[in-house]
Amino acid sequence: MNHAPADLLARFGSPLYAYDGAVLESALAAFGGAFAGIDARYALKANANAVLLRRIAAAGFGADAVSPAEVRAAQIAGFPNPRISYTGHATAREELAAVHALGAEITVDSAAGLQRLAAVAPGVACGLRVNTGVGAGHHSNVITGGAQSKFGVPVAELGAALELADSLGLRVVGLHQHVGSGILAANALLAAADALLRAAALHAQRFTWIDFGGGFGLPYRAGEAALDLGAVAAGLRERVARFAAQNGVHPQVRVQPGRILVAACGTLLTRVTEVKRAHETVWVATDTGAHHLLRPMLYDAHHEIENLSRPSAPLTCVTVTGVLCESGDVLARARMLPLPCEGDILAIRDVGAYGFAMASTYNLRARPAEVLLTDGAAQLIRVRETEADLLR
Ligand code: LLP
């Protein structure tokens, strides 16, 4: 980012979500290149900013939505309708009807979901989410496979669910799983793929597509090794080729990357509002917090933080906190930082995924503006909320 942070905050206000367009493009190119020939559908839940969505659509990705508004956002951004899927969990009949009316292909994740879908969209072609028992992820809250997870048809009940679909007149043409998020080991993703293909093999003739979900992690800590995307893509191709040869079928291969496409391009710029020494801790308070970036509080997630104003100040162990009236509102605990002073600008890195997307108005505080930074230009891509918005 060759934009002066102080200028950005003066122009757009603090705190501010700033996305680096070049970093976004390189993430899209890296994933698209590694997964060439595989239908990658971007999981909008990671970041649904309309301007970023247009860039992701233009780079050739499809879209995966989890709500009617996400389906609409994908359509407006220019994702082609046949490549917009909807993977909701236990959603109501009315929502299934709305999504069906929009024309997105629906994946349901239970026998009851099949029944609701058949009631609102008789005879439709759909996907089914299975829980193969395999789960993985950076925190227990993001593991979506296994006995502790609410998602999917248990694999032992897959046959019965497919028979139910037949009796309801639904055509289950796809099998999907998503085992979790923030996975950094290619082996873990491929072991999950093996489990899905074992489940699919029992009913191979039915499926025109197999969707391995998302979960592609990225290193949030300096020095942490990146996921080997080439190894994951090659492993998937090899496994699906074997599956195809053994079963005499040619299913389309799908994945649903979210985080890996958008996390690294995002930075949350914030101002230090106070520095206080108390109880042997140096507390660095900021004008943001868990209402704008929930991940540290919810998952103990690590985001690198830089002191942009005073990079050469003495390295000091500090705890960076937010403005919320809540003790858990800590952005980084016991972190070595060049000691900030009031007014300094901090950069919280890799917040492009599940950052703004999970922001709230807790404590009646506005959500920040978002800007997209490209060569020399800073484009406002979401206006900061106003007090009127909060009081509406
Ligand atoms: N597909 C499905 C069905 C999903 O549920 C998810 C994420 C994805 C794809 C995209 O997963 P990704 O590639 O981004 O890992 N808020 C958490 C992450 C929750 C992910 C939920 N599902 C976090 O900030 O770590």
Side-chain angles (χ1 to χ4, degrees):
M1 226 191 285
N2 51 4
H3 295 262
D7 292 348
L8 289 174
L9 293 189
R11 201 166 145 203
F12 300 106
S14 178
L16 179 69
Y17 268 97
Y19 302 102
D20 185 323
V23 174
L24 172 64
E25 295 301 336
S26 79
L28 297 175
F31 196 92
F35 282 74
I38 293 176
D39 187 349
R41 300 181 173 207
Y42 168 63
L44 266 76
K45 61 171 80 69
N47 188 324
N49 181 284
V51 174
L52 302 188
L53 289 182
R54 280 208 293 275
R55 291 189 161 224
I56 298 168
F61 287 82
D64 183 64
V66 293
S67 66
E70 280 195 359
V71 173
R72 279 302 290 140
Q75 291 175 331
I76 291 165
F79 291 93
N81 233 15
R83 292 187 62 212
I84 300 177
S85 45
Y86 164 91
T87 313
H89 162 67
T91 49
R93 212 187 241 244
E94 295 73 17
E95 177 158 330
L96 294 174
V99 171
H100 178 60
L102 290 170
E105 187 175 32
I106 295 176
T107 289
V108 295
D109 80 335
S110 65
L114 289 168
Q115 267 157 343
R116 286 195 299 280
L117 182 61
V120 298
V124 78
C126 65
L128 189 59
R129 178 169 181 165
V130 66
N131 181 339
T132 58
V134 177
H138 70 82
H139 186 272
S140 56
N141 283 354
V142 301
I143 296 175
T144 49
Q148 302 306 317
S149 163
K150 66 179 183 173
F151 295 100
V153 174
V155 68
E157 294 162 31
L158 178 60
L162 291 170
E163 279 169 30
L164 172 67
D166 289 344
S167 72
L168 294 166
L170 287 176
R171 290 172 294 128
V172 177
V173 295
L175 194 65
H176 161 74
Q177 78 170 355
H178 170 80
V179 299
S181 193
I183 302 166
L184 278 171
N187 286 347
L189 285 163
L190 293 174
D194 284 332
L196 182 61
L197 289 170
R198 272 196 301 278
L202 303 174
H203 316 276
Q205 306 303 322
R206 287 178 179 264
F207 303 124
T208 60
W209 54 263
I210 296 180
D211 187 330
F212 295 93
F216 310 93
L218 81 155
Y220 282 97
R221 288 171 197 270
E224 207 173 10
L227 174 64
D228 185 345
L229 283 179
V232 177
L236 283 183
R237 284 196 194 90
E238 183 190 309
R239 282 163 173 77
V240 173
R242 204 179 320 130
F243 174 88
Q246 283 167 356
N247 297 289
V249 291
H250 295 282
Q252 183 205 30
V253 184
R254 295 183 188 172
V255 290
Q256 302 177 338
R259 177 193 316 271
I260 196 161
L261 301 182
V262 291
C265 72
T267 294
L268 179 56
L269 295 173
T270 178
R271 274 202 194 274
V272 172
T273 52
E274 185 178 292
V275 180
K276 167 169 89 177
R277 288 170 199 267
H279 309 292
E280 293 173 13
T281 296
V282 180
W283 302 92
V284 173
T286 64
D287 62 4
T288 187
H291 52 322
H292 298 157
L293 180 65
L294 185 58
R295 304 191 70 254
M297 181 162 156
L298 192 58
Y299 314 119
D300 261 328
H302 178 99
H303 289 270
E304 293 291 335
I305 299 181
E306 281 170 59
N307 182 347
L308 300 181
S309 304
R310 215 173 294 276
S312 325
L315 275 181
T316 310
C317 181
V318 304
T319 288
V320 181
T321 61
V323 67
L324 294 181
C325 290
E326 173 124 3
S327 217
D329 182 18
V330 170
L331 295 162
R333 210 175 279 281
R335 186 75 65 85
M336 295 305 288
L337 271 193
L339 182 63
C341 293
E342 187 178 321
D344 280 3
I345 300 173
L346 305 185
I348 308 177
R349 300 296 187 194
D350 303 315
V351 297
Y354 308 111
F356 189 95
M358 295 174 80
S360 74
T361 57
Y362 186 37
N363 282 191
L364 272 198
R365 291 187 178 278
R367 289 180 297 171
E370 296 181 289
V371 292
L372 176 62
L373 307 177
T374 47
D375 279 342
Q379 181 193 355
L380 182 64
I381 59 172
R382 190 191 303 269
V383 176
R384 180 179 307 278
E385 274 174 338
T386 63
E387 189 173 279
D389 295 327
L390 295 173
L391 301 182
R392 193 160 30 177

